[in-house]
Amino acid sequence: MADRMTRRWPAVLAGTCSAFAVIAAVVAANDWAPFAFERAAIDWSAAHRPPLARAVAMVVTSLGTGVVPYLLALAAGVVTARSAGSPRSRWTVARALLLPVVWLALGQLLRQGLMHAFGRPRPPETDWAFTASGFAFPSGHAFTSALSAGLLALAVARARPSAARTAAAGAVLFAGVIGLSRIYLGVHWPLDVLAGWLLAAGWLAAGAALSAFLPEQKERSGSTRAP
């Protein structure tokens, strides 16, 4: 199963990056302006924000930035380090702990670079129910939540294959509600959020594909094939 997933990651990377590029090209062709369905989504959200729903959305959206995503990435490192069957050096353990955090940080640099390169404006401030800064495309909260939750789900799936589906479902739910909260609070257009999810999936796939070349990963894969 591990070998099968390793072979799939390059295809996932190609598919998500292609989809991201298509969306970026479509939005760019529209001069980065919102499409009618995006404008309608923001209008609907602005008209359906009772105090309780707004408060819940603000709590949910806060989980997609700051310390929480890095705690999830660190948890992924802990799961990876604890799942090793043989004794390892301190350097190897430290690397297992920190690699997910480093990959998340590098992903943030990529996302910030793309966001400034594209420069898509956010929805008008009159539609906001939450403070925001910077450009809109791709959504930082959607990207960060999807990547951090994906890193943890991947670590859990590798350590305990029987829990792979549950971990994946949890990651999708976590990233999904945070991404949708950005639209509901009026600070992102729908395609910003979709692009953030796709970029995160591509970056996660790239990390998973590269991890197959790490020495300890090769050793563990080889041990699973041994008689």
Side-chain angles (χ1 to χ4, degrees):
M1 181 175 181
D3 290 342
R4 194 162 58 244
M5 286 304 301
T6 299
R7 290 193 297 268
R8 288 178 181 174
W9 286 121
V12 174
L13 174 60
T16 52
C17 289
S18 297
F20 177 87
V22 168
I23 292 175
V26 168
V27 179
N30 199 45
D31 200 24
W32 301 105
F35 291 93
F37 76 91
E38 293 187 291
R39 181 68 261 177
I42 296 298
D43 289 344
W44 183 92
S45 298
H48 296 83
R49 288 189 195 132
L52 179 58
R54 175 179 173 176
V56 170
M58 291 175 68
V59 172
V60 168
T61 208
S62 68
L63 301 177
T65 189
V67 68
V68 172
Y70 283 94
L71 288 177
L72 292 178
L74 183 59
V78 171
V79 170
T80 301
R82 288 174 61 90
S83 66
S86 59
R88 295 190 291 176
S89 67
R90 290 182 179 179
W91 161 246
T92 304
V93 172
R95 183 169 61 178
L97 284 170
L98 295 178
L99 269 179
V101 176
V102 172
W103 198 245
L104 175 59
L106 291 175
Q108 295 288 25
L109 293 177
L110 171 65
R111 190 264 306 171
Q112 286 280 0
L114 291 172
M115 180 179 285
H116 284 85
F118 294 141
R120 189 187 197 193
R122 291 181 183 271
E125 290 190 31
T126 53
D127 295 319
W128 295 5
F130 193 81
T131 57
S133 61
F135 296 112
F137 186 96
S139 165
H141 281 66
F143 173 84
T144 306
S145 60
L147 179 56
S148 59
L151 287 167
L152 179 56
L154 181 60
V156 170
R158 285 175 168 171
R160 189 178 177 185
S162 61
R165 290 186 178 180
T166 301
V172 169
L173 178 62
F174 181 78
V177 295
I178 290 176
L180 293 176
S181 74
R182 305 303 286 169
I183 302 171
Y184 184 70
L185 292 172
V187 293
H188 272 295
W189 305 109
L191 289 181
D192 303 336
V193 172
L194 178 57
W197 287 334
L198 288 170
L199 185 63
W203 193 243
L204 179 64
L210 288 173
S211 70
F213 295 96
L214 294 176
E216 66 270 20
Q217 186 66 29
K218 287 182 177 181
E219 183 180 346
R220 290 174 60 191
S221 297
S223 65
T224 59
R225 293 192 297 268

